[in-house]
Amino acid sequence: MSVQTVGEDRIVAIPRRKAPNRLGKSALTVTTWVIAILFVFPVIWMALTAFKQEADAATDPPKLFFTPTLEQIAGIIDRGFLPYLGNSAFVTVLSTLAVLALGIPAAYALSLAPVKNTSNALGFFLSTKMLPVVAAIIPLYVISQNFALLDNVWALVVLYTAMNLPLAIWMMRSFFLEVPKEMIEAGRIDGANLPTLLRRVILPVVAPGIAATALICVIFSWTEFFYAVNLTAARAGTVPVFLVGFITSEGLYWAQLSAAALMASLPVMIIGWIAQNHLVRGLSMGAVK
């Protein structure tokens, strides 16, 4: 602390700035990297195993140095992976678009429009997530059979839309609540109708939140297994159903399973990497006032 004399009889104490705690910052950085590596390590190990020979993948202790090969990935493609990949992409894209088409107007009505019994509607949406999927599979199987939707991708589109819609409405409603009401009132004064108000005023503000919601719906649809394994067979099987085929009575073929898992998760990881900025912005909307 330094002392400075002001005038004849006044002394002002000026506190000195503390030097940055470099040791603490370094320790925090190292800890962050360690935690990040621990989370990413299974994915890295899966990717490394996918390029091993089966004999190298089954060694104990594991081999860290090996000759990479594309034999396992080529074998996955020859085994019929692409139709399953196409089914997953079709179901995921259509169900996500349907969720957004239904969820955006619902979120607007439950946040910015004067709708009666909003809390009851939100409670109903939330209650649909409380039913265990095991309890609903038999009625869903019978309904799909009666409507000739067994082993059909459209059955999964409908189910994944219904599965993700309540969560999407809850998420997007919280994003819509962050829209300044002054912007909406200004748009109405300028004569904008509801579609124009949504398209030009509201959606540009909540676009990061909608992108985050869409990404979460994509992840949930892409990785869903229970409905797919019970309602599909040969024609409409998705990627998770394809992965089950590697679990045999003879044991696990780690290199093949890792290659299949890598190819199955790669599209979602690429989409998440591209949309990570929107995801962070969307999930942090409203966190700081």
Side-chain angles (χ1 to χ4, degrees):
M1 180 178 296
S2 61
V3 178
Q4 180 178 356
T5 303
V6 180
E8 297 180 354
D9 54 355
R10 294 178 59 191
I11 298 177
V12 179
I14 302 176
R16 294 178 179 176
R17 293 183 180 179
K18 293 183 178 180
N21 189 353
R22 296 182 179 180
L23 182 60
K25 290 185 177 180
S26 301
L28 182 60
T29 302
V30 172
T31 303
T32 304
W33 274 104
V34 170
I35 294 175
I37 291 173
L38 288 177
F39 274 99
V40 179
F41 179 76
V43 179
I44 297 176
W45 190 256
M46 176 188 70
L48 291 175
T49 307
F51 295 97
K52 291 181 178 181
Q53 295 286 350
E54 200 64 55
D56 296 333
T59 58
D60 188 17
K63 280 188 176 182
L64 296 178
F65 302 98
F66 58 92
T67 303
T69 178
L70 296 175
E71 179 181 344
Q72 309 302 334
I73 295 179
I76 297 302
I77 296 176
D78 293 339
R79 195 166 174 173
F81 173 74
L82 295 181
Y84 291 88
L85 180 66
N87 290 337
S88 287
F90 180 85
V91 171
T92 299
V93 171
L94 261 67
S95 63
T96 302
L97 292 177
V99 166
L100 295 181
L102 298 173
I104 290 175
Y108 172 82
L110 294 172
S111 58
L112 301 177
V115 178
K116 294 182 179 180
N117 299 323
T118 297
S119 60
N120 294 337
L122 291 173
F124 171 75
F125 288 134
L126 189 62
S127 65
T128 59
K129 303 297 294 182
M130 298 179 182
L131 178 67
V133 293
V134 178
I137 190 60
I138 294 178
L140 290 175
Y141 186 92
V142 173
I143 293 173
S144 299
Q145 187 177 33
N146 292 336
F147 284 90
L149 290 176
L150 285 179
D151 200 15
N152 193 315
V153 291
W154 289 105
L156 297 182
V157 170
V158 174
L159 289 175
Y160 290 176
T161 302
M163 176 184 70
N164 292 325
L165 186 58
L167 177 63
I169 291 176
W170 269 86
M171 289 185 61
M172 288 191 290
R173 177 179 178 271
S174 65
F175 301 140
F176 274 86
L177 289 174
E178 300 301 322
V179 178
K181 294 184 178 180
E182 293 78 8
M183 294 179 59
I184 301 175
E185 293 175 357
R188 289 172 178 170
I189 292 174
D190 292 339
N193 54 15
L194 181 57
T196 304
L197 199 64
L198 279 172
R199 186 176 66 256
R200 295 188 177 182
V201 178
I202 299 175
L203 290 184
V205 177
V206 299
I210 294 176
T213 304
L215 180 58
I216 291 175
C217 291
V218 166
I219 294 173
F220 285 172
S221 299
W222 189 271
T223 59
E224 200 283 325
F225 172 72
F226 189 78
Y227 288 139
V229 77
N230 285 284
L231 299 178
T232 66
R235 294 180 301 171
T238 57
V239 168
V241 178
F242 177 79
L243 295 178
V244 177
F246 291 90
I247 302 176
T248 65
S249 58
E250 301 175 356
L252 297 177
Y253 295 91
W254 292 109
Q256 295 180 12
L257 184 59
S258 298
L262 177 63
M263 296 180 65
S265 57
L266 197 58
V268 177
M269 288 192 293
I270 293 174
I271 294 174
W273 180 266
I274 295 173
Q276 61 178 331
N277 293 332
H278 293 289
L279 179 62
V280 173
R281 288 178 57 196
L283 294 180
S284 61
M285 285 184 67
V288 179
K289 292 291 184 181

